[in-house]
Amino acid sequence: MDLETITEYRPAPGAAWQPGDAWLGGGTWLFSEPQPGLRRLLDLRGFGWAPLTESRGGLEIAATCTIAELARWRPGGPAAVAWATVPLLRQCCDALLASFKVQNMATVGGNICLALPAGAMTSLAAALDGVTTLWSPGGGVREVPVIGFVTGPGTTVLRPGELLRSVTLPDASLRGRTAFRQASLSRLGRSAALVIGRTDGPGLVITVTAATPRPVQFRFAARPSPDEATAALDRAGLDRAGLDGAGLDGAGLDGGHLTWHDDVHGAPAWRAAMTRRFVAEVAAELRE
Ligand SMILES: Cc1cc2nc3c(=O)[nH]c(=O)nc-3n(C[C@H](O)[C@H](O)[C@H](O)COP(=O)(O)OP(=O)(O)OC[C@H]3O[C@@H](n4cnc5c(N)ncnc54)[C@H](O)[C@@H]3O)c2cc1C
């Protein structure tokens, strides 16, 4: 793709952001279609951030970490035993059904900032209670939980010129057991429904993505039965009050309602049915 409006490409460090600029991650989306509003590309790889950094607090994933690097990564030291969720990283990387060329170039940050409902890195980071670190052009830093970062298809909380520096997955989340379910209309199609369950002490966290315009999360204080888990989903389809009445927290519900995404990758009713089935399955799997 020739990007005819681009007049300058430069490393991001030291570049003062201005309207018409875009942060360049792996470029797999930026170079895939015309970008008439853009003038400059600011390449984030110039920062030279370490892709993955383990600490006692958790795992920091740099925005420039590629999907391939994340898929290959294994923890060392005590985390190698304690972080039971590590297979989920690979499952989510595989859910992004791209060629090896895209897998090797696309970045975790680019996938999250693109804010596609099928964004598998958003699914992963939201399910593990990840927290984004955002840098503003004026030098400010703020943190936003991933569950609230994506606000709809293609929209995020990023302000003009702000960039995603990293996502941190907390140690406590990485210790949980997880269950993963994903469906696409075709064998190599984009995710149309993706549900991740994660044990959280005696409780359970269920995160729904791909089927909904933005990530939606249900937190249960105790492990629900499959019927109890789907009942939470059904209540969310009715109204916010239904969730509050049941003592459930349903983050990401637009206007208090659960809505279903509608595009060529799946009809809303099918996405809803698959999600309901997957919610029951992950609840059953993690109840044992
Ligand atoms: C063949 C193919 C198959 C695909 N299949 C899937 C799929 O199954 N599921 C899915 O979700 N997606 C899929 N995609 C889209 C894919 O998610 C994106 O192309 C990829 O995630 C973008 O990552 P990138 O690093 O290349 O981002 P870029 O193309 O570099 O950037 C994407 C956008 O994010 C912005 N951006 C990038 N990094 C940052 C940052 N750190 N801070 C702020 N803004 C930033 C850019 O300015 C741009 O607006 C597919 C793409 C292809 C080409």
Side-chain angles (χ1 to χ4, degrees):
M1 171 64 61
D2 289 334
L3 300 181
E4 293 164 350
T5 59
I6 302 295
T7 56
E8 195 179 343
Y9 159 88
R10 56 177 299 171
W17 187 88
Q18 57 194 47
D21 285 353
W23 303 115
L24 175 64
T28 60
W29 179 79
L30 276 172
F31 295 139
S32 73
E33 56 184 79
Q35 307 287 350
L38 297 185
R39 299 292 173 268
R40 300 198 306 170
L41 297 177
L42 309 180
D43 192 342
L44 295 169
R45 283 172 300 186
F47 282 111
W49 297 322
L52 294 144
T53 309
E54 258 178 81
S55 71
R56 290 166 68 105
L59 176 65
E60 183 193 74
I61 307 173
T64 46
C65 175
T66 64
I67 309 290
E69 284 172 324
L70 185 63
R72 281 196 299 267
W73 177 79
R74 298 290 175 274
V81 180
W83 288 355
T85 59
V86 168
L88 180 70
L89 274 53
R90 179 64 195 250
Q91 286 171 310
C92 289
C93 291
D94 289 344
L96 204 151
L97 297 167
S99 66
F100 75 92
K101 285 185 283 189
V102 172
Q103 296 256 353
N104 276 294
M105 291 304 292
T107 62
V108 172
N111 188 254
I112 295 175
C113 292
L114 201 53
L116 296 176
M121 297 300 103
T122 306
S123 312
L124 169 71
L128 297 183
D129 287 348
V131 177
T132 62
T133 298
L134 311 180
W135 285 3
S136 75
V141 178
R142 64 179 179 128
E143 294 189 339
V144 176
V146 176
I147 191 73
F149 179 84
V150 172
T151 53
T155 60
T156 68
V157 298
L158 282 175
R159 298 167 184 154
E162 212 170 24
L163 69 82
L164 172 61
R165 160 65 183 88
S166 60
V167 177
T168 300
L169 307 178
D171 171 74
S173 305
L174 289 160
R175 290 171 182 267
R177 284 193 300 128
T178 57
F180 173 95
R181 298 289 187 281
Q182 181 249 7
S184 305
L185 259 187
S186 60
R187 197 170 62 82
L188 293 177
R190 255 183 213 182
S191 299
L194 198 156
V195 175
I196 298 172
R198 173 174 60 83
T199 60
D200 182 23
L204 185 71
V205 180
I206 295 181
T207 306
V208 173
T209 49
T212 48
R214 55 184 291 197
V216 174
Q217 197 169 63
F218 300 94
R219 305 185 85 92
F220 301 86
R223 308 268 163 86
S225 67
D227 284 347
E228 288 165 341
T230 50
L233 196 68
D234 295 343
R235 274 190 221 104
L238 298 175
D239 58 21
R240 165 88 250 172
L243 276 183
D244 289 343
L248 285 165
D249 174 28
L253 297 176
D254 289 311
H257 292 272
L258 188 61
T259 53
W260 303 102
H261 187 54
D262 186 7
D263 68 8
V264 294
H265 301 292
W270 178 68
R271 291 175 190 259
M274 293 309 291
T275 300
R276 199 171 189 281
R277 174 176 150 186
F278 291 162
V279 163
E281 287 181 5
V282 302
E285 184 176 326
L286 294 173
R287 213 172 190 218
E288 289 154 18

